[in-house]
Amino acid sequence: MSTDTQSKSTTKSKGATKSASATRNRRTSGRATGAQRTPEENAEKGFAASQQLTECLQRVLIDLIELALQGKQVHWNVVGKNFRDTHLQLDEIIAAARTFADTVAERMRALHALPDGRSDVVAETTTLPEAPHGEVATTDAIDLMTERLDAVAATCREVHDRVDEEDPTSADILHAILERIEQLSWMVSAENRTPSGS
């Protein structure tokens, strides 16, 4: 084989390998490879979350992200009696979940912890039951969202004491989340209730 032919063959082989590896898995590790911290940033002092505090806040963050996602799924697919009221009420839940998720994530960053809201992490670690596929009757949507709101509240209550022990300020955030999430659960669930004793 001539040197020229051998060189073309090698180049072609390298190109094929590169092409195969590029299409084999488009999803790469999310490990940051960008700018490094400056000396000023490295000199920052202040309270830093422990592993336990980070994990507690991460659990709440995950359930809030999932609540917002499932709320939108149901919002798009709800049908039936009182459709408009249910549709709008779902938007209230979604707005609250998104706002609280952002608050928790930014609190984690303020404590030098790393929030992780990637889709695969959310799917693997949420405590919320999976959302149904397809259209959802308004009455089922009410029960479904009440169950998920209660699951988020349960996560907040489960981690609360450990968070409060280490960082009362983060516990205050959990108080605000609990107050609103439990209020929403009451308001949503009332749609399917009948008066006591009737």
Side-chain angles (χ1 to χ4, degrees), residues 119-185:
S119 57
D120 53 341
V121 174
V122 173
E124 287 168 13
T125 59
T126 184
T127 66
L128 276 59
E130 192 175 343
H133 177 68
E135 290 186 334
V136 182
T138 48
T139 51
D140 292 338
I142 295 303
D143 290 341
L144 183 150
M145 291 313 297
T146 301
E147 181 184 17
R148 280 141 185 84
L149 285 160
D150 290 347
V152 174
T155 298
C156 287
R157 288 187 175 280
E158 193 177 322
V159 303
H160 175 273
D161 289 352
R162 277 172 284 162
V163 171
D164 194 35
E165 242 174 59
E166 185 173 343
D167 182 30
T169 304
S170 292
D172 285 347
I173 292 170
L174 295 183
H175 296 157
I177 293 170
L178 274 167
E179 180 186 8
R180 182 62 175 143
I181 291 295
E182 290 179 341
Q183 181 192 45
L184 285 166
S185 174

Side-chain angles (χ1 to χ4, degrees), residues 26-182:
R26 289 181 182 205
R27 213 166 168 181
T28 59
S29 167
R31 189 174 293 269
T33 55
Q36 300 300 308
R37 287 166 62 94
T38 66
E40 290 79 10
E41 288 171 321
N42 284 325
E44 283 180 359
K45 300 286 186 249
F47 180 77
S50 69
Q51 185 65 30
Q52 177 179 265
L53 178 58
T54 300
E55 287 170 1
C56 287
L57 294 176
Q58 174 69 19
R59 286 180 58 192
V60 175
L61 173 64
I62 289 294
D63 279 358
L64 288 167
I65 293 170
E66 182 67 10
L67 178 63
L69 290 170
Q70 290 202 26
K72 260 308 176 194
Q73 176 67 19
V74 176
H75 172 86
W76 294 323
N77 292 293
V78 69
V79 294
K81 203 170 182 181
N82 295 328
F83 161 79
R84 183 162 173 74
D85 288 343
T86 306
H87 191 71
L88 294 173
Q89 202 166 32
L90 287 165
D91 265 341
E92 283 184 58
I93 294 169
I94 295 156
R98 285 177 173 168
T99 299
F100 287 135
D102 195 50
T103 301
V104 170
E106 290 187 356
R107 179 63 184 162
M108 290 175 75
R109 290 303 292 132
L111 301 181
H112 310 290
L114 297 173
D116 193 347
R118 293 173 297 165
S119 57
D120 53 341
V121 174
V122 173
E124 287 168 13
T125 59
T126 184
T127 66
L128 276 59
E130 192 175 343
H133 177 68
E135 290 186 334
V136 182
T138 48
T139 51
D140 292 338
I142 295 303
D143 290 341
L144 183 150
M145 291 313 297
T146 301
E147 181 184 17
R148 280 141 185 84
L149 285 160
D150 290 347
V152 174
T155 298
C156 287
R157 288 187 175 280
E158 193 177 322
V159 303
H160 175 273
D161 289 352
R162 277 172 284 162
V163 171
D164 194 35
E165 242 174 59
E166 185 173 343
D167 182 30
T169 304
S170 292
D172 285 347
I173 292 170
L174 295 183
H175 296 157
I177 293 170
L178 274 167
E179 180 186 8
R180 182 62 175 143
I181 291 295
E182 290 179 341

Side-chain angles (χ1 to χ4, degrees), residues 11-21:
T11 305
K12 189 174 181 182
S13 172
K14 282 182 183 172
T17 305
K18 187 178 180 184
S19 174
S21 65

